[in-house]
Structures are given as structure tokens and as C-alpha cells.
Amino acid sequence: MLAVQTFPLWVDEIAITAGAMLGAIAALRRQAPLVGIVMVGVITGLGGGILRDLVLNADIAAFRGPLYLPTVLLAIFIALPLHRVIPRTPGMTIGIDAFGMGAFVVAGAEKALTYGMGPTQSALIGVLCATGGGVIADLLMGEKPLVMQRGRWYVSAATVGAVYFVIGINFLPVAFMRVSTVVLVILLRELSERLGLKVDFVPGDWRQGVDPKLVEAKLVEDRSHAIKAVMVVHNETSTGVATRVGEVRKAIDAAKHPALFMVD
């Protein structure tokens, strides 16, 4: 397990720079006044880290560290002349957003590990750190948070990155895991945008496994065959809940749908 003292300040600084820039650009696009621009930039830059530290019952780094607020303000200042250029380049916008998300995932998960959290808790804190500031900023601007919108590889990319980090850090050098986690999140976000990949979660009862009837009904509705794959996942193994994989396969066949069947 990592020691608390080994958590590097620069990991936080990289994350909050990207977060503050995107927050400021989002506010500028909505013609917010200067106060609103600064407020949104500060929230997207520092919000995730503050939530992380509150959950860890740790000293809030954003309030105690001398470099946090200046870094956010500098990032906002840099964003001011760029707000007309970046939105015109969708790939750049997604890239910066994905880079910031990946950096926040590392900042949240790694610090959680240094404070003695287990892999599951650390992954969740990594996702919270990556999405928390954005949720608060979206609500402040009167918009529906991205985490609540279907069809966006937002939380999914952060979750995959966080799980990858907390597992891989036990076998590979920390520096490699930091960089590769950020790269993984960027690739997932870029891939989803380029291929038009969207996730449509079908709610169910976690105590019963996947309901084949729900799967069949969903596929029958999809007459245009927009759904390309059906993925069955489990939440955890300790409950012993088993999905009837064979029956799900039969449900897909009964719907006469060409979707690929994937099982985790």
C-alpha cells in the first residue's frame, strides 16, 4: 500500500488545470459574466478534489495548499482567449475534457489508496473526483449533469479508468499507471465519439440477475437495429447471483436481432 506522504501535488495540479479551463470555457459559451466564469472554473477545477478529501476525512488540499487557487485562476485566464477556438474543434474539446477526467481519476484513486482505502472504495472515489466538480457546475448553470444523461461515455470511461488504476498499481510502476490511466480514459472517450458508441442502461433487480424478458423487449423495440451489442455484467460476486446467460441468448434470438452478445 502507498504511504500517505507519497501522494504528489502535481497530480492534483494537472487535473485542476484541465478542469478549470473547461469549466471557464463552458461558462463563456453561455455568455456568463466574469464572476460566473470564475465561479464555474473554480468549481470544476477544485470541486472534485474537495469532495474526495471530504470523503477521505482528510485536510482539504484546495484550502491548505498555496498553489491550488493560483493554478485555477491561471487556467481560467488562459481559457479566456481560447474559448472561441476550442469549441470549433470538437476533438480538442473532447481531448481536454478526457485528459482532465483521466487526471482526476488518478488524483482521486491514488490519494484514496494512500489513505488506506481498499480497491473498490478507491475506484469509487476516483470516479467521484472525476465527475463531482462537473456535476456541481452543470447544476449551477441550470443544465442536466452529464452523469445523468444517457448515451454518453462519461462515467463509464471514468469507471474503467479507475478500476484499471487500482488493479494495475499492484503490479506495475506508479508512474506508468498514472500515464496509462489518463491515456486509457482519453482513448475511451475519443473512441466513443468517433464510433458513435452510446450506452443504454437497462434497469433491473441486482438480486435477480439480468431478466431475459427485458432484454427481448428492448431488442424488439429496436426495429432499426441501432443496438449493436448486448453486454451482461455483474455487480459483484459475493451475492452468488447468477444471470441465466443461456436464456438471455435465447431472448436475443427470439427478438431476431443481430446484436453481438457480450458477457462479463
Side-chain angles (χ1 to χ4, degrees), residues 122-185:
S122 298
L124 290 174
I125 291 174
V127 175
L128 173 66
C129 188
T131 60
V135 170
I136 298 173
D138 286 339
L139 294 174
L140 183 65
M141 292 186 290
E143 297 187 356
K144 185 177 182 179
L146 285 176
V147 299
M148 300 300 294
Q149 297 181 27
R150 290 189 175 187
R152 300 295 296 270
W153 271 32
Y154 189 72
V155 178
S156 301
T159 302
V160 172
V163 171
Y164 167 76
F165 181 84
V166 299
I167 293 176
I169 203 170
N170 294 298
F171 308 100
L172 297 170
V174 176
F176 173 81
M177 288 306 304
R178 289 170 181 157
V179 175
S180 62
T181 298
V182 175
V183 171
L184 175 61
V185 173

Side-chain angles (χ1 to χ4, degrees), residues 24-44:
I25 290 172
L28 282 162
R29 292 176 63 186
R30 291 158 180 79
Q31 299 181 338
L34 181 60
V35 174
I37 295 169
V38 173
M39 183 178 297
V40 173
V42 170
I43 289 174
T44 54

Side-chain angles (χ1 to χ4, degrees), residues 35-252:
V35 174
I37 295 169
V38 173
M39 183 178 297
V40 173
V42 170
I43 289 174
T44 54
L46 301 179
I50 291 174
L51 291 174
R52 171 202 63 195
D53 292 341
L54 287 173
V55 172
L56 292 174
N57 196 27
D59 290 336
I60 299 178
F63 295 163
R64 296 177 63 87
L67 296 179
Y68 282 83
L69 187 57
T71 299
V72 168
L73 295 178
L74 177 61
I76 295 172
F77 177 77
I78 294 173
L80 293 177
L82 295 178
H83 82 280
R84 297 184 183 278
V85 178
I86 293 179
R88 296 176 183 175
T89 312
M92 184 181 296
T93 304
I94 297 169
I96 295 176
D97 186 24
F99 175 82
M101 171 176 284
F104 272 121
V105 165
V106 172
E110 183 175 345
K111 189 166 186 177
L113 289 171
T114 65
Y115 274 76
M117 295 290 113
T120 302
Q121 296 91 333
S122 298
L124 290 174
I125 291 174
V127 175
L128 173 66
C129 188
T131 60
V135 170
I136 298 173
D138 286 339
L139 294 174
L140 183 65
M141 292 186 290
E143 297 187 356
K144 185 177 182 179
L146 285 176
V147 299
M148 300 300 294
Q149 297 181 27
R150 290 189 175 187
R152 300 295 296 270
W153 271 32
Y154 189 72
V155 178
S156 301
T159 302
V160 172
V163 171
Y164 167 76
F165 181 84
V166 299
I167 293 176
I169 203 170
N170 294 298
F171 308 100
L172 297 170
V174 176
F176 173 81
M177 288 306 304
R178 289 170 181 157
V179 175
S180 62
T181 298
V182 175
V183 171
L184 175 61
V185 173
I186 292 174
L187 289 176
L188 288 174
R189 291 291 305 278
E190 290 284 355
L191 184 65
S192 68
E193 293 293 333
R194 289 179 181 273
L195 299 181
L197 299 178
K198 297 180 180 181
V199 178
D200 186 0
F201 173 71
V202 180
D205 186 347
W206 66 269
R207 295 166 295 186
Q208 304 297 326
V210 176
D211 187 345
K213 293 182 179 179
L214 288 179
V215 174
E216 182 177 351
K218 191 74 176 181
L219 294 178
V220 168
E221 294 175 359
D222 180 35
R223 298 180 179 179
S224 63
H225 294 167
I227 298 175
K228 302 304 179 184
V230 175
M231 185 171 186
V232 175
V233 299
H234 67 284
N235 64 322
E236 41 92 11
T237 57
S238 63
T239 60
V241 174
T243 293
R244 296 159 289 174
V245 176
E247 293 187 23
V248 175
R249 175 70 263 180
K250 292 179 181 178
I252 297 174

